Amino acid sequence: MSLSRAPRSIVLVPGAVVAALTLTACGGGSSGTAGGGGDTNFVTDTGGVATVAKGERRAPGKLAGETLAGGRLDVADLRGKVVVMNIWGSWCTPCRAEAKHFAKVSKEYKAKGVEFVGINVRDSNKQTAVNFEKDFGIEYSSLYDPISKLILNGFPKGTLNPQGIPSTIVLDRDGKIAARALTALNEERLRSLIAPLAAETPTGRADAKPAGRTADKADK
C-alpha cells in the first residue's frame, strides 16, 4: 500500500523517526537494496530480504519496555536464542495478511530455541492491538511502541533496520542483527529466514546471558 493510501499518515510519527526509518506505511514489497547506511556488507535479494555474515553483525540498541499485556520485556534477556522481531500495526493490511503465519511458525520453532517478539507501532489505542493478537492467535509478547521510540533507538545506523511496516528483524543467538525482511512473509519465507540462524552455534557462549523469560506474569 502506498503512503497516500495508508490508513494512518506517517506524519503522525515524530519527524526524527521518519528520517531515521524512512518508513513506508504498510509497504507491500521492496527491491531489497535499502540498507542502514555506510559500508554495511549486507547481502540483499530482490524480495526485500537482507542478511549479514556472522563476523559482520552488530548488536541492536536497547529494546525494552512495556508489552501490550502490561508486562515488561527486555530483548537482551533472550540472548542465547534466535529472536524474530516483527514490526506491525493493527491498521496495516499486509500485517494482517502475515499474522496467521507468524502465529503458526512461532509455535513450531519455540522448541528449537527461537523466540518471537512483536513491536507494535502507531496504534494509539492499545486495546485495538490486543484484539488483533487475539484474532490471529498470536501468543508471543509484543512491545508497545506507539510513537516508534524503540524503533528509533534500537537499531543503530549501519545495521539492518526497519524501513517499512511490516518489517521483520532476526537476531542470532549472540544477540546480533543477522537478517531483515522488508515485506510481509508467508510461512515458507518466514521459515527460510529463520532456519539458517536456528542452526548456528553462538560464538559468545562463555559470556552470554541466559535466555530469560519473554515477559513477566502480568504479560500472560
Side-chain angles (χ1 to χ4, degrees), residues 104-119:
K104 181 177 181 179
V105 177
S106 66
K107 295 168 187 175
E108 291 177 1
Y109 271 86
K110 192 170 185 65
K112 300 178 182 180
V114 177
E115 203 68 57
F116 279 60
V117 174
I119 302 180

Side-chain angles (χ1 to χ4, degrees), residues 57 73-85 106 109-117 169-178 194 197-203 205 208-215:
R57 298 170 189 167
L73 170 62
D74 188 342
V75 172
D77 289 338
L78 300 175
R79 186 172 174 181
K81 296 186 177 184
V82 173
V83 180
V84 181
M85 294 182 291
S106 66
Y109 271 86
K110 192 170 185 65
K112 300 178 182 180
V114 177
E115 203 68 57
F116 279 60
V117 174
I169 309 290
V170 186
L171 307 184
D172 65 16
R173 297 188 190 276
D174 294 318
K176 296 181 178 180
I177 301 170
I194 299 169
L197 296 169
E200 287 184 356
T201 302
T203 57
R205 186 176 298 276
K209 295 173 65 176
R213 300 175 299 172
T214 58

Side-chain angles (χ1 to χ4, degrees), residues 6 19 27 34 54 108 115 138 140 146 166 173 183 202 210:
K54 194 167 185 177
E108 291 177 1
E115 203 68 57
I138 294 173
Y140 55 84
R173 297 188 190 276
T183 186

Side-chain angles (χ1 to χ4, degrees), residues 44-96:
T44 63
D45 67 18
T46 58
V49 173
T51 59
V52 185
K54 194 167 185 177
E56 302 292 336
R57 298 170 189 167
R58 294 171 56 190
K62 187 174 181 63
L63 291 166
E66 182 183 357
T67 66
L68 285 175
R72 300 291 299 179
L73 170 62
D74 188 342
V75 172
D77 289 338
L78 300 175
R79 186 172 174 181
K81 296 186 177 184
V82 173
V83 180
V84 181
M85 294 182 291
N86 181 239
I87 293 83
W88 65 277
S90 66
W91 43 267
C92 169
T93 300
C95 298
R96 301 183 70 85

Side-chain angles (χ1 to χ4, degrees), residues 140-152:
Y140 55 84
S141 300
S142 284
L143 289 164
Y144 184 51
D145 192 23
I147 62 171
S148 301
K149 183 177 179 181
L150 291 177
I151 301 298
L152 174 63

Side-chain angles (χ1 to χ4, degrees), residues 33-49:
T33 58
D39 183 12
T40 60
N41 293 314
F42 301 162
V43 177
T44 63
D45 67 18
T46 58
V49 173

